[in-house]
Amino acid sequence: MHPIARQLNIPNSITLLRLILVPVVVWLLTVGYYDWALWVFIAAALSDALDGFLARILDQRTELGATLDPIADKLMLLSTLAVLVWLALLPGWLLGAIVLRDAVIIGGALAYRRRAGHLEVAPTWLGKLHTLLEFALAGLVIADAAGTLPLTPWLLPLFYLVLFTALTSGAQYVWLWGRRAATL
């Protein structure tokens, strides 16, 4: 099999589709088509679970997929959350905490790689929970804006839950990578 064909397998194609859906969700939100934005966002979120499942079950895990999948997740989440802040549907402080968490994790990973010469990143269960809650938060805020699910009273507690997981998962990554770096 040609190396390019091996990289462009079904799971990676789904991940690429998720990347293509990022500007679609952003556009739908900015023009006020919240119903459509919700369905496209849900499809993108489900495709995240599907591509990982297929990569494992079909034994089609690739370096490209390992790189593109978290990029697709971050682009979808940060773009969607940024537009929701711009539309005043999400508080800016929450997006700031999420961006700060991601910046600390990326900065720490780059510092570790510089020091160790390599980097093998494995998400923690708390990091996975945080990402799941970010997807849920964005979807529920869009559903509330669309009038599909009237969730306004529940959003503030959800904002604080996502803030809590952002802070604790970020601290967990700092602690884990700090311990690893100390043993080098």
Side-chain angles (χ1 to χ4, degrees):
M1 180 183 283
H2 193 275
I4 293 176
R6 199 173 311 116
Q7 294 293 315
L8 290 178
N9 57 29
I10 294 169
N12 290 350
S13 298
I14 293 170
T15 301
L16 289 171
L17 176 62
R18 190 163 67 255
L19 279 168
I20 292 167
L21 292 178
V22 170
V24 175
V25 170
V26 167
W27 179 78
L28 290 168
L29 287 171
T30 58
V31 296
Y33 294 142
Y34 300 127
D35 289 335
W36 283 99
L38 177 62
W39 291 112
V40 175
F41 183 83
I42 289 171
L46 292 176
S47 79
D48 182 34
L50 180 62
D51 66 13
F53 172 76
L54 289 175
R56 282 186 300 281
I57 200 161
L58 299 173
D59 194 25
Q60 293 184 345
R61 288 176 242 165
T62 65
E63 198 171 311
L64 176 66
T67 301
L68 280 184
D69 187 65
I71 290 171
D73 289 348
K74 285 300 159 196
L75 280 176
M76 179 60 75
L77 286 169
L78 292 177
S79 299
T80 301
L81 295 173
V83 172
L84 293 174
V85 168
W86 181 70
L87 294 169
L89 298 172
L90 187 79
W93 56 262
L94 182 54
L95 177 61
I98 291 168
V99 169
L100 178 62
R101 170 200 180 264
D102 292 345
V104 166
I105 291 170
I106 291 168
L110 292 173
Y112 181 87
R113 183 172 182 218
R114 191 172 333 121
R115 182 175 171 142
H118 69 283
L119 177 66
E120 293 175 28
V121 178
T124 65
W125 69 268
L126 190 53
K128 288 181 178 187
L129 174 64
H130 174 71
T131 301
L132 175 67
L133 287 175
E134 275 187 57
F135 270 110
L137 171 71
L140 292 172
V141 169
I142 297 168
D144 185 63
T148 306
L149 291 170
L151 298 167
T152 303
W154 297 99
L155 290 180
L156 188 59
L158 185 56
F159 296 160
Y160 284 115
L161 177 60
V162 172
L163 174 66
F164 177 75
T165 61
L167 297 175
T168 55
S169 67
Q172 181 186 39
Y173 280 111
V174 168
W175 182 74
L176 288 172
W177 288 98
R179 278 189 33 204
R180 281 190 185 173
T183 62
L184 293 177

